[in-house]
Amino acid sequence: QVQTVESGGGLVQAGGSLRLSCAVSGGTFSSYAMGWFRQAPGKEREFVAAISWSGGRTQYADSVKGRFTISRDNAKNTVYLQMNSLKPEDTAVYYCAASDKYITIATTNFRSWGRGTQVTVSS
């Protein structure tokens, strides 16, 4: 069974950067697309970024394009989310998850959700 564990969240000032990591165990990591999602208080979980199993294709939500970068290291079974130029509206719990699709942005196509890591951006 695939398990994901997110880390790297914290408190940062607007304009700052954070790098999130998601360690994956179980299954064959290199066969899964991976995604990052976030959920702010009182809001639904939303798509942030996704990467194909090979790392050759990525997709981003419009709200983070040009600021966030998703990457993966299949040798380390880890997916990353580099977040630059952070804004207060990026404040949320960030989750990673795995998908059997080549690449997808639909929440329903993902499984093996982690517990998330809190990102707080102060103004």
Side-chain angles (χ1 to χ4, degrees), residues 5-58:
V5 179
E6 303 91 343
S7 62
L11 173 63
V12 63
Q13 288 188 334
S17 299
L18 282 174
R19 188 194 195 200
L20 305 184
S21 299
C22 172
V24 180
S25 60
T28 303
F29 177 71
S30 59
S31 68
Y32 300 120
M34 297 298 299
W36 283 98
F37 295 78
R38 66 188 182 187
Q39 188 167 17
K43 295 187 177 181
E44 293 188 353
R45 189 171 298 185
E46 65 174 1
F47 167 77
V48 175
I51 188 167
S52 62
W53 60 266
S54 66
R57 185 175 172 187
T58 57

